[in-house]
Amino acid sequence: MKQPDVVLIHPPSVFDFRDRTIFYGPISDVIPSSPVFEMYPVGFLTLAAYLRRHGYRVTIVNLALLMMRSRRFRPEKFLRRLRPRLFGIDLHWLPHAHGGPEVAALLKRLHPDIPIVFGGISATYFHEELIRNDAVDFVLRGSVTEPSLLALLRELEGDPQFQRVPGLTWKDDSGARVNPDTLPSRTLDEYDFDLGMMIGSVVNHLDFWTSIPFHGWWRHPITAVFTVRGCARRCVACGASADAFGRFMPGHFPLRRSPAAIGAMIRELARITRAPIFLVGDLLDGGAAYAYAVLDELKRSAIDNRIVFEFFRPPPAEFIGRIDASVRHWGAELSPESHDEYVRARFGKATFTNERMAEAIEAILATRCEALDLFFMIGLPGQTFRSVIDMTAEIERLFQRFDRRLSAFITPMGPFIDPGSEGFEDAERHGYIIRARTLAEHRALLEQRDWESILNYETKWMTRAEIVDATYEAAGRLNDLKERYGRISSHIAAGVRARLSSAKSIRKQLAAAGDGPLDPNIHRALVGEIRAFSEGTINDKAELFPSGAFLRNFRISGIIPFIARELMGRFRARTTKPSVMRTIRA
Ligand code: SF4
């Protein structure tokens, strides 16, 4: 097999999770990933597409997923076979603070001559600490690193002058070198993904797992169009907020995708899949003209997939009406964070009253909207245990008032408050107590035995134990409410109830063991176990990501042209003289 030029590797959260006894907790019940965070950042797809357009072969390896799927899978054996010019590892989300550096150490042992580059939001924040790691050769800082990665690859081909690569942190005999930031981008339009490449990697190698985004993807191929990088909002715990990016991320944010580019991506996705398409980011944050222009694009696209809109504040009635007139099937997500208006305002996402929210819910449900999910959080400034419990009472009032299309989710903020965020950098002002500051300290937290000890924060209003107590108490109540008001079936509710009970029981037993050795039965139950006590314990994942039959969500007639184009491209590449390929690359 011809070796790729670049292999992008997504590590598991904790590298040796299969040998550890960790009670991860309900940190992944509202995201597609499992507790090992096997979903790779979308940046992998845009980086791969960008490099490919410039003549390079890129392979994505979802190492976390491969390790999850089989205990017999040996990462060392698998990685030994790869010999690219450059390995890339993501440290986008901080929960990979253990897995990322461990994979780098393994690669350096296997391939001491192949350089390793890190990238992502957390890598950018911790670039100086990361570059001190012997296994790390480069860190690419920034949220838009496609051109810098290309520049780095080109330097690796000749007589390297790494000081020419913008946004690169690297090292030489004199120590760490921090190059000037990359020039700011003005639009995201140049950075899209390449569905042909994804399909091609499956078809060419008949490999259904190495490059897919997360474990359940073939059954619920959630697809998303990221309309924005960075954010206009100021949520105090978020590392991508306006405050956080202003602090450490080079460039001007938020950086948006144009309405035309969003429309093109949606049409392309709809050709291959029937699955819902999430529009990530509140379109209205880009201004009314921008948001309406996106709706015009959607109307022109005339696709049947459900389009899911994200709202950070209740949208105006006129906009809701325009959505309804523009798309055939749609759903929405709104994140009030708390029922308590004071807590909501302190969190910083948006300030609005519950009355205003109820008006918007009413307007949305008066349309053809098929599902509206509300998201609430635990661990917010000013939020007490009592306030969390009151949240469930408020949700009950909403369930009584509105029909079954309205559902709700309550999740703990975790495992980490993001470095760079207001809550992390100015913790005292926001009532947070931060337990880890460095990358190494976060890595150490990830090795703890239970999620209460893994949290990197507590608040003035709730200890870590109270955050866990509040999570399980609220989850039990909300699960009962969903069953009573017909949001979920009794079968699903019973499943959540049983798993919640197991989670509470294992927590009690771990607490009883303290730092001492575990009872052999507990050890056996927990070793390498990522799901039993941590998944589906506060809600069933299928409430958000319903499973379909294998491949049923795909449109084979739409996939065939991609395969044909892919095979033609490969045939042409094989019959093209190497010197011509060089020219293309240059
Ligand atoms: S959590 Fe808040 S700041 Fe962060 S991306 Fe979401 S809305 Fe923006």
Side-chain angles (χ1 to χ4, degrees):
M1 186 186 85
K2 204 157 189 186
Q3 288 285 345
D5 296 301
V6 182
V7 175
L8 299 175
I9 300 178
H10 180 61
S13 166
V14 175
F15 180 68
D16 48 354
F17 68 94
R18 298 183 299 186
D19 302 319
R20 287 183 183 265
T21 48
I22 299 179
F23 170 36
Y24 299 90
I27 49 174
S28 64
D29 270 356
V30 295
I31 57 173
S33 280
S34 74
V36 302
F37 291 102
E38 84 277 12
M39 189 171 85
Y40 54 72
V42 71
F44 264 21
L45 297 174
T46 55
L47 285 165
Y50 188 84
L51 293 181
R52 193 176 192 233
R53 277 209 303 280
H54 288 83
Y56 290 92
R57 291 180 301 270
V58 183
T59 295
I60 292 174
V61 171
N62 192 339
L63 194 69
L65 174 60
L66 295 172
M67 291 175 73
M68 257 177 83
R69 274 185 42 77
S70 166
R71 277 198 73 82
R72 288 201 302 277
F73 173 81
R74 291 283 155 252
E76 184 165 342
K77 191 171 162 203
F78 179 89
L79 296 174
R80 191 188 299 279
R81 292 202 310 261
L82 301 172
R83 290 212 56 85
R85 288 163 200 243
L86 178 69
F87 284 114
I89 300 174
D90 69 276
L91 183 56
H92 190 62
W93 299 297
L94 195 50
H96 293 94
H98 185 283
E102 281 292 314
V103 170
L106 174 59
L107 285 171
K108 205 38 109 185
R109 191 154 51 74
L110 297 172
H111 304 289
D113 53 329
I114 301 180
I116 296 172
V117 60
F118 271 76
I121 292 181
S122 300
T124 300
Y125 184 88
F126 286 114
H127 69 109
E128 283 166 326
E129 184 175 344
L130 210 43
I131 202 69
R132 289 199 293 272
N133 182 327
D134 288 343
V136 180
D137 300 288
F138 307 110
V139 182
L140 273 176
R141 310 184 313 274
S143 174
V144 180
T145 52
E146 285 83 352
S148 301
L149 183 57
L150 176 63
L152 176 60
L153 263 175
R154 286 174 171 162
E155 292 300 337
L156 288 168
E157 283 178 342
D159 175 24
Q161 305 284 322
F162 296 124
Q163 68 277 12
R164 293 193 297 211
V165 179
L168 186 72
T169 298
W170 54 292
K171 54 195 170 193
D172 59 13
D173 294 342
S174 65
R177 306 276 301 269
V178 180
N179 291 356
D181 291 337
T182 178
L183 285 177
S185 302
R186 295 278 160 205
T187 169
L188 277 185
D189 288 6
E190 216 185 323
Y191 312 115
D192 51 10
F193 37 76
D194 181 343
L195 292 177
M197 186 187 83
M198 291 177 71
I199 293 167
S201 91
V202 171
V203 172
N204 281 323
H205 311 299
L206 284 181
D207 175 352
F208 282 81
W209 298 108
T210 300
S211 300
I212 64 160
F214 55 90
H215 189 253
W217 196 77
W218 289 111
R219 290 193 185 280
H220 42 85
I222 304 153
T223 50
V225 172
F226 283 71
T227 65
V228 65
R229 283 190 200 175
C231 188
R233 306 260 145 202
R234 320 191 91 97
C235 303
V236 300
C238 177
S241 66
D243 297 302
F245 266 29
R247 223 171 240 126
F248 71 92
M249 190 58 80
H252 301 305
F253 297 97
L255 194 58
R256 295 188 196 284
R257 202 175 292 284
S258 72
I262 292 172
M265 284 179 95
I266 285 179
R267 285 190 291 277
E268 186 146 306
L269 284 169
R271 279 169 62 196
I272 66 156
T273 173
R274 298 184 176 86
I277 300 172
F278 285 77
L279 287 182
V280 180
D282 188 332
L283 296 175
L284 286 161
D285 276 0
Y290 171 82
Y292 282 104
V294 174
L295 294 186
D296 290 343
E297 277 291 333
L298 292 175
K299 188 167 191 173
R300 264 196 294 281
S301 302
I303 58 166
D304 285 327
N305 303 54
R306 181 190 289 179
I307 306 292
V308 183
F309 294 84
E310 184 175 31
F311 295 116
F312 299 148
R313 64 194 152 158
E318 195 208 333
F319 190 68
I320 295 165
R322 274 287 288 280
I323 292 177
D324 205 42
S326 306
V327 292
R328 293 177 183 163
H329 299 281
W330 68 285
E333 296 186 345
L334 172 64
S335 38
E337 311 297 359
S338 169
H339 74 294
D340 181 325
E341 293 168 5
Y342 168 74
V343 172
R344 183 183 302 147
R346 278 200 73 165
F347 186 60
K349 181 175 278 183
T351 305
F352 53 85
T353 63
N354 289 332
E355 198 185 334
R356 171 74 200 98
M357 180 169 76
E359 279 168 17
I361 294 172
E362 188 154 16
I364 290 172
L365 295 180
T367 68
R368 294 174 300 107
C369 174
E370 292 159 3
L372 171 59
D373 293 324
L374 304 180
F375 289 87
F376 296 86
M377 206 139 64
I378 298 172
L380 308 177
Q383 186 185 50
T384 60
F385 182 93
R386 184 70 248 163
S387 171
V388 174
I389 302 309
D390 290 348
M391 202 142 75
T392 58
E394 182 58 31
I395 291 171
E396 179 168 19
R397 279 190 277 281
L398 293 172
F399 281 180
Q400 285 167 341
R401 179 168 167 190
F402 297 108
D403 67 51
R404 290 179 189 185
R405 289 173 294 164
L406 179 76
S407 194
F409 299 86
I410 302 179
T411 57
M413 189 160 67
F416 301 147
I417 283 192
D418 293 338
S421 67
E422 274 289 293
F424 189 89
E425 305 296 333
D426 199 357
E428 203 176 327
R429 185 158 77 87
H430 296 283
Y432 284 111
I433 299 126
I434 300 295
R435 303 177 53 243
R437 288 281 167 195
T438 65
L439 189 59
E441 286 167 358
H442 282 92
R443 178 197 160 114
L445 284 182
L446 289 161
E447 294 178 326
Q448 300 300 305
R449 222 156 47 181
D450 62 274
W451 70 281
E452 177 181 326
S453 313
I454 293 173
L455 295 177
N456 76 345
Y457 73 97
E458 54 192 11
T459 74
K460 271 196 336 213
W461 305 271
M462 277 196 279
T463 62
R464 282 173 293 149
E466 286 167 332
I467 289 170
V468 175
D469 289 341
T471 298
Y472 287 137
E473 183 60 33
R477 289 173 185 237
L478 183 57
N479 188 53
D480 293 346
L481 290 176
K482 285 180 179 172
E483 182 184 21
R484 191 176 321 142
Y485 292 95
R487 267 55 183 182
I488 54 176
S489 67
S490 293
H491 175 71
I492 288 182
V496 172
R497 211 167 281 129
R499 291 187 295 270
L500 175 56
S501 163
S502 306
K504 289 206 270 200
S505 155
I506 201 99
R507 179 183 180 216
K508 211 180 273 172
Q509 294 176 71
L510 287 173
D515 291 333
L518 286 179
D519 172 279
N521 288 330
I522 306 287
H523 181 88
R524 251 194 311 280
L526 210 50
V527 69
E529 180 53 65
I530 57 172
R531 295 194 192 283
F533 307 102
S534 300
E535 256 195 11
T537 56
I538 57 174
N539 57 264
D540 193 309
K541 247 189 164 76
E543 292 175 49
L544 282 164
F545 314 112
S547 275
F550 190 56
L551 291 180
R552 195 200 63 184
N553 281 319
F554 292 90
R555 296 184 210 274
I556 303 301
S557 59
I559 291 175
I560 288 170
F562 278 106
I563 296 175
R565 214 185 310 153
E566 193 63 17
L567 294 177
M568 281 302 290
R570 273 161 205 264
F571 176 73
R572 271 195 222 108
R574 269 190 213 122
T575 53
T576 307
K577 286 183 188 149
S579 58
V580 176
M581 288 304 290
R582 270 278 158 230
T583 315
I584 293 168
R585 283 180 190 176

